[in-house]
């Protein structure tokens, strides 16, 4: 099948399970007459999600995930539990999706922006260690962000937390299917339609720390702990409904198939980029899958390449923009040296990537690059 040159190529087209696939789960809601408050479908989804992730990382079984209504609130809840009391700043990478900064602010903290590593596009313990002495005061927590679904370096951050006492929370929003390890430090994931494991809106927190999970779950339901309707923690309502859980269960039913498809599409781009001056994120396609496939262009090739993409009606996106400090809502937050962010952010370009993209369309994209 050849590609019609007048037909634009979209950058992302999410696809969730069909109504037929969700229907059996909806019937279970009708039968049970339970619609929210950790009903049977939410419990099953929390359990199956943890089982799915544990099986993928080939590790011991995980406690059920704490479910939230979206990924942003998962980060907020984890921070509310973990951030050190009496401290103001939460360190986050300047280069992230802006949701990270919102979650930090909603948890009552001020984002303090740090640079990212040019290789991984992520915060590293070395970057934080270098910044610590120049901070106005010690931080309450750190949010380490997985770049577009790349697996975070869990062991390094466990070591860092053990040495410094600064709690680490992972914004692994796009990484639920690519996590390679899960310890006590919470992994907050997004199940938004545009993520690999997308269910519309949804989020989850994975961790091996049962006491943390218990408190985090209490926070998602007004801080009620135990059977008594007594609010023990300040939280809110972050719960997903049973209808959301129904979609989530249907998503898990076809997850492996979707991952295989995304891998074959990613592999085609990876092969086409081999030997070219276009850099890709380490391991993408081979080790982990994403819905926001990026090319990292040499700085002098960005503008001409974008012009060619526009000319050929190939949609592209800077998924994370140019850094949190460039958004008006966060232009007043403090930050450290952001030299790498300033250099690399303009060069990271999301290219068309979705399950129904054809090899012919991918060929057109690669020619334009
Ligand atoms: C998608 C995303 C979020 C937000 O998740 P939502 O489910 O949309 O709230 C947060 N951080 C990163 C890095 C993301 O990619």
């Amino acid at each position: 099948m050849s590609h019609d040159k007048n037909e634009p190529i979209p950058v992302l087209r999410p696809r969730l399970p069909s109504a037929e696939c969700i229907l059996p789960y909806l019937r279970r809601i009708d039968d049970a007459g339970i619609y929210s408050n950790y009903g049977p479908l939410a419990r099953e989804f929390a359990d199956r999600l943890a089982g799915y992730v544990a099986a993928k990382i080939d590790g011991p079984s995980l406690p059920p995930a704490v479910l939230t209504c979206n990924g942003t609130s998962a980060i907020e809840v984890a921070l509310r539990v973990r951030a050190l009391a009496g401290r103001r700043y939460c360190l986050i990478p300047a280069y992230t999706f802006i949701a990270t900064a919102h979650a930090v602010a909603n948890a009552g903290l001020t984002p303090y922006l740090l640079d990212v590593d040019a290789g991984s596009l992520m915060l590293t313990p070395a970057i934080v260690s270098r910044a610590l002495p120049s901070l106005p005061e010690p931080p309450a927590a750190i949010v380490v962000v997985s770049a577009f679904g790349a697996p975070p370096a869990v062991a390094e951050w466990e070591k860092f937390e053990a040495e410094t006492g600064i709690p680490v929370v992972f914004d692994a929003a796009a990484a639920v299917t690519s996590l390679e390890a899960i310890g006590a430090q919470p992994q907050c994931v997004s199940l938004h339609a545009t993520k690999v494991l997308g269910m519309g809106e949804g989020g989850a927190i994975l961790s091996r720390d049962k006491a943390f999970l218990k408190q985090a779950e209490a926070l998602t339901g007004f801080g009620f702990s135990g059977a008594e309707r007594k609010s023990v923690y300040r939280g809110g309502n972050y719960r997903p409904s049973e209808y959301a859980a129904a979609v989530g269960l249907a998503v898990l039913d076809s997850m492996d198939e979707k991952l295989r498809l995304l891998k074959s599409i990613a592999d085609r781009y990876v092969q086409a980029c081999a030997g070219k001056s276009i850099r890709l994120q380490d391991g993408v396609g081979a080790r982990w899958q994403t819905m926001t496939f990026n090319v990292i262009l040499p700085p002098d090739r960005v503008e001409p390449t974008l012009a060619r993409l526009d000319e050929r009606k190939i949609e592209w996106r800077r998924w994370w923009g140019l850094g949190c400090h460039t958004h008006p809502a966060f232009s007043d937050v403090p930050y450290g040296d952001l030299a790498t962010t300033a250099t690399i952010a303009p060069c990271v370009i999301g290219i068309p990537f979705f399950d129904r993209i054809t090899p012919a369309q991918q060929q057109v994209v690669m020619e334009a690059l």
Side-chain angles (χ1 to χ4, degrees), residues 1-5 7 9 13 268 354-364:
M1 199 170 42
S2 71
H3 168 70
D4 172 0
K5 288 197 165 46
E7 191 69 34
I9 306 180
R13 271 166 65 193
R268 241 176 266 137
F354 47 91
D355 64 350
R356 276 172 279 192
I357 195 168
T358 64
Q361 286 176 314
Q362 286 192 273
Q363 181 71 30
V364 169

Side-chain angles (χ1 to χ4, degrees), residues 1 3 5 34 39-40 51 90-91 120 163 168 192 207 227 257 278 281 283 295 315 317 347 350 356:
M1 199 170 42
H3 168 70
K5 288 197 165 46
I34 298 170
C90 179
L91 307 181
S120 67
E163 283 167 8
V168 173
H192 186 258
S207 163
E257 200 182 313
I278 296 169
Q281 286 185 268
V295 290
E315 208 184 356
R317 192 145 313 160
C347 304
R356 276 172 279 192

Side-chain angles (χ1 to χ4, degrees), residues 70-73 75 96-97 99-100 145-146 171 173-174 190-192 195 201-202 320:
N70 54 52
T72 309
S73 55
I75 302 163
T96 179
F97 181 50
T100 317
V145 180
S146 146
D171 172 350
S190 165
L191 309 174
H192 186 258
K195 310 288 182 190
E201 293 283 359
W320 285 0

